[in-house]
Amino acid sequence: QVQLVESGGGLVQAGGSLRLSCAASGRTFSRYAMGWFRQAPGKEREFVAAIGWSGSDTYYADGVKGRFTISRDNAKNAVYLQTNNLKPEDTGVYFCGAYVLAGYGRYDKRGYDFWGQGTQVTVSS
């Protein structure tokens, strides 16, 4: 079982940046692909970005391409999401999860488990 804790969220003006972190339990972390999802009030949790187990393969939702960067450091048991040029529509609770059910695909939240508690990102206009 993997245990995840997100941090780094906050209140930022449009155009600003935040670096989100996801701290994971050791020993088994490097075996999993990881993903970031976000959930706005009244909406379902949606895919933001994913990264393969080695860190060489990355994937992004269309709305964040060119602005967000996902990375991981297996030696530190951590995955990161650098968010640049933030927009009000980026507001939401950001969660990280481990990709454990390949049958749903890397863009489907149903394929992920061991979600952290989430970190709030609020972008003002």
Side-chain angles (χ1 to χ4, degrees), residues 47-49 59-65 107:
F47 172 79
V48 176
Y59 310 88
Y60 298 93
D62 288 343
V64 305
K65 289 180 180 178
Y107 307 108

Side-chain angles (χ1 to χ4, degrees), residues 66-83:
R67 299 189 296 118
F68 291 9
T69 302
I70 188 171
S71 62
R72 70 189 297 164
D73 187 340
N74 289 339
K76 296 182 177 180
N77 295 332
V79 61
Y80 308 99
L81 186 70
Q82 179 67 44
T83 67

Side-chain angles (χ1 to χ4, degrees), residues 12-104:
V12 64
Q13 293 182 343
S17 300
L18 290 170
R19 191 190 192 211
L20 310 184
S21 298
C22 177
S25 60
R27 300 186 186 276
T28 61
F29 170 74
S30 63
R31 298 168 57 187
Y32 296 98
M34 301 291 294
W36 283 97
F37 290 73
R38 67 188 180 191
Q39 187 166 15
K43 301 186 68 176
E44 295 187 8
R45 194 170 301 185
E46 66 177 2
F47 172 79
V48 176
I51 188 166
W53 65 269
S54 70
S56 61
D57 298 322
T58 58
Y59 310 88
Y60 298 93
D62 288 343
V64 305
K65 289 180 180 178
R67 299 189 296 118
F68 291 9
T69 302
I70 188 171
S71 62
R72 70 189 297 164
D73 187 340
N74 289 339
K76 296 182 177 180
N77 295 332
V79 61
Y80 308 99
L81 186 70
Q82 179 67 44
T83 67
N84 297 327
N85 192 25
L86 284 162
K87 304 175 180 180
E89 52 262 45
D90 294 318
T91 293
V93 179
Y94 283 67
F95 300 88
C96 63
Y99 186 54
V100 298
L101 191 54
Y104 287 106

